[in-house]
């Protein structure tokens, strides 16, 4: 009996141990399968936080209209094409310094406090936004939707290999491109001999403006700098009236973009032909616009954001250049100014607003 009891106890221990091993193996197996589960399935409930930060203007500006609506829509459409829907698997938030560049560092700190997955730096002042985040973090990815010469600004090591947490798109057009804009103005309004350059002091001193000044000299045009500030256009508009200029050349900067209704309205009231940097000006009665397609840049920015969310490193994502340019002519504005747009220019236009 003692021998039988001992043998039964041994079998019991062995069976108990076997059952324990089965439980352990089962648990290990479950963990192993979980580790092998597709990344998409594991992150299906992940809500990615995207913070869109601009230096000036508002998303919905009661005074100037929806300053950023078109570009926000372009970006969100790009994200939707890649499977992201705001409010479902993505949370999109808009921040603006409203022209107060001194507050960008404070905004950067506030945005980082929300633990964003990616920062989208927008506007012609994307460089300043990117600099603020560069001072605040070297970890959170920053995608510039429309930068200007980011390598020279120290934001990236090179366009091909940015080398840090910042990448994106450059809207650089260069002196020759800007000179072409001035030439188009003279083609539409051949009697224009005195032109005001509406821009910041920084714009006037840029290589692009130097190209415009060279073109003005070649075309026999007197070019005057109508300098505005981030908060006021009064002196610039006053100079244009006093100097009795014949035409207006609008520089590409975030303040001109945000205040485009006021600028095109001023030109219309003065019956002054003007050339603008992007198609958004033509949509609010601007005469002729030639420049990179901002909508295309913002839609393409969604691709960079998507790659980063899927594990790509900003340091290895090249800064890309514009590939789509818009020549838009507002025929209605031309008629109101008594101008006949040359058929050759109309034939080149991507869009003619009737």
């Amino acid at each position: 009996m003692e021998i039988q009891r001992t043998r039964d106890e041994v079998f019991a221990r062995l069976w108990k141990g076997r059952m324990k091993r089965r439980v352990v193996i089962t648990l290990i197996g479950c963990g192993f399968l979980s580790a092998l589960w597709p990344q998409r399935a594991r992150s299906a409930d992940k809500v990615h936080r995207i913070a869109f930060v601009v230096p000036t203007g508002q998303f919905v500006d009661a005074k100037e209209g929806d300053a950023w609506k078109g570009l926000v829509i372009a970006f969100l459409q790009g994200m939707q094409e890649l499977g992201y829907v705001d409010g479902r698997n993505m949370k999109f938030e808009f921040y603006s310094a409203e022209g107060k560049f001194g507050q960008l560092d404070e905004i950067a700190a506030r945005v980082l406090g929300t633990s964003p997955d990616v920062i989208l730096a927008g506007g012609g002042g994307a460089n300043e936004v990117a600099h603020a985040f560069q001072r605040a973090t070297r970890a959170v990815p920053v995608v510039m939707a429309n930068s200007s010469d980011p390598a020279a600004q120290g934001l990236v090591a090179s366009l091909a290999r940015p080398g840090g947490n910042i990448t994106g798109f450059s809207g650089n057009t260069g002196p020759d491109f800007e000179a072409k804009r001035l030439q188009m103005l003279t083609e539409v309004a051949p009697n224009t001999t005195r032109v005001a350059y509406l821009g910041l002091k920084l714009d006037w001193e840029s290589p692009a403006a130097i190209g415009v000044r060279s073109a003005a000299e070649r075309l026999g045009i007197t070019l005057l700098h109508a300098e505005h500030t981030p908060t006021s256009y009064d002196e610039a508009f006053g100079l244009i009236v006093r100097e009795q200029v014949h035409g207006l050349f609008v520089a590409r900067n975030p303040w001109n973009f945000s205040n485009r209704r006021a600028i095109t309205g001023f030109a219309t009231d003065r019956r002054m032909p003007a050339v603008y940097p992007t198609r958004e000006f033509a949509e609010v009665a601007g005469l002729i616009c030639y420049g990179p397609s901002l909508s295309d840049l913002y839609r393409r920015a969604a691709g960079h954001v998507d790659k980063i969310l899927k594990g790509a490193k900003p340091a290895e994502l090249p800064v890309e250049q514009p590939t789509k340019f818009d020549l838009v002519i507002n025929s209605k504005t031309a008629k109101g100014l008594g101008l006949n747009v040359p058929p050759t220019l109309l034939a080149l236009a991507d869009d003619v607003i009737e």
Side-chain angles (χ1 to χ4, degrees), residues 300-336:
R300 289 169 62 196
H304 267 34
V305 171
D306 174 57
K307 290 174 184 176
I308 290 171
L309 293 177
K310 290 178 177 176
K313 297 179 180 179
E316 299 172 358
L317 279 178
V319 175
E320 298 185 15
Q321 302 283 1
T323 56
K324 186 176 186 300
F325 298 85
D326 290 329
L327 170 57
V328 185
I329 298 170
N330 192 310
S331 179
K332 182 178 179 180
T333 299
K335 290 176 182 176

Side-chain angles (χ1 to χ4, degrees), residues 175-192 195 212 215-216 218-219 221 247-250 273-278 287-292 325-330 334 339-351:
D176 292 342
F177 190 96
E178 295 299 286
K180 179 64 176 176
R181 282 213 290 137
L182 182 63
Q183 182 181 330
M184 286 182 175
L185 178 61
T186 63
E187 291 176 16
V188 175
N191 296 325
T192 301
V195 175
V212 176
R218 185 174 66 253
L219 294 167
I221 292 175
L248 183 63
F249 183 101
V250 178
V275 62
Y276 303 92
T278 63
L287 174 62
I288 182 169
C289 307
Y290 185 46
F325 298 85
D326 290 329
L327 170 57
V328 185
I329 298 170
N330 192 310
L339 299 173
N340 293 315
V341 181
T344 52
L345 200 58
L346 286 171
L348 291 172
D350 297 284
D351 192 9

Side-chain angles (χ1 to χ4, degrees), residues 40 48 92 108 135 151 157 160 165 186 198 201 224 227 235 282 295 317 321 346 349:
R40 183 176 296 179
H48 302 283
F92 178 83
R135 290 189 290 269
N165 64 318
T186 63
L198 183 65
K201 183 175 184 292
L224 306 174
E227 182 180 347
E235 290 189 16
S295 294
L317 279 178
Q321 302 283 1
L346 286 171

Side-chain angles (χ1 to χ4, degrees), residues 9-280:
E9 289 175 355
V10 170
F11 278 122
R13 290 195 189 100
L14 288 173
W15 180 254
K16 188 176 180 181
R18 185 178 179 185
M19 289 302 293
K20 285 183 177 180
R21 283 197 299 276
R22 284 185 178 179
V23 172
V24 171
I25 290 171
T26 301
L27 292 174
I28 292 174
C30 289
F32 181 69
L33 289 173
S34 177
L36 293 179
W37 198 262
Q39 184 66 29
R40 183 176 296 179
R42 287 198 299 154
S43 60
D45 296 330
K46 166 74 174 177
V47 177
H48 302 283
R49 300 182 69 94
I50 313 296
F52 180 28
V53 185
V54 298
T56 183
Q58 298 179 8
F59 182 22
V60 178
D61 188 331
K63 186 177 180 181
E64 296 296 342
D66 294 348
W68 292 95
K69 182 177 179 179
L71 300 183
V72 168
I73 289 174
F75 172 74
L76 292 179
Q77 284 178 340
M79 292 297 289
Q80 187 170 1
E81 290 168 4
L82 295 166
Y84 301 89
V85 178
D86 188 27
R88 186 181 303 169
N89 58 354
M90 178 184 75
K91 183 173 176 57
F92 178 83
E93 297 175 327
F94 182 89
Y95 299 83
S96 173
E98 298 183 5
K100 301 173 183 177
F101 273 33
Q103 293 185 359
L104 280 174
D105 285 337
E106 178 184 337
I107 291 174
R110 178 151 46 96
V111 170
L112 291 173
T114 67
S115 300
D117 293 289
V118 181
I119 307 296
L120 181 67
N127 284 9
E128 285 74 12
V129 174
H131 274 302
F133 281 96
Q134 188 181 55
R135 290 189 290 269
T137 179
R138 296 301 173 99
V140 180
V142 177
V143 174
M144 300 176 294
N146 180 23
S147 174
S148 58
D149 209 355
Q153 292 286 324
L155 290 167
V156 298
S158 70
L159 298 185
R161 292 189 65 84
N165 64 318
I166 300 174
T167 184
F169 294 81
S170 173
N172 279 4
T173 51
D176 292 342
F177 190 96
E178 295 299 286
K180 179 64 176 176
R181 282 213 290 137
L182 182 63
Q183 182 181 330
M184 286 182 175
L185 178 61
T186 63
E187 291 176 16
V188 175
N191 296 325
T192 301
T193 57
R194 290 172 65 79
V195 175
Y197 179 99
L198 183 65
L200 300 165
K201 183 175 184 292
L202 183 65
D203 298 324
W204 181 249
E205 295 172 350
S206 70
I210 293 174
V212 176
R213 295 206 291 272
S214 297
E217 186 176 349
R218 185 174 66 253
L219 294 167
I221 292 175
T222 299
L223 191 67
L224 306 174
H225 181 204
E227 182 180 347
H228 70 83
T229 70
T231 57
S232 175
Y233 283 77
D234 291 344
E235 290 189 16
F237 289 165
L239 180 142
I240 291 171
V241 173
R242 290 194 306 273
E243 295 294 334
Q244 299 182 344
V245 299
H246 307 141
L248 183 63
F249 183 101
V250 178
R252 185 169 66 94
N253 68 45
W255 295 275
N256 285 347
F257 180 85
S258 293
N259 291 285
R260 59 191 180 276
R261 290 180 183 272
I263 295 170
T264 59
F266 172 79
T268 299
D269 291 343
R270 299 293 304 174
R271 295 187 58 79
M272 183 184 302
V275 62
Y276 303 92
T278 63
R279 72 172 298 131
E280 285 77 13

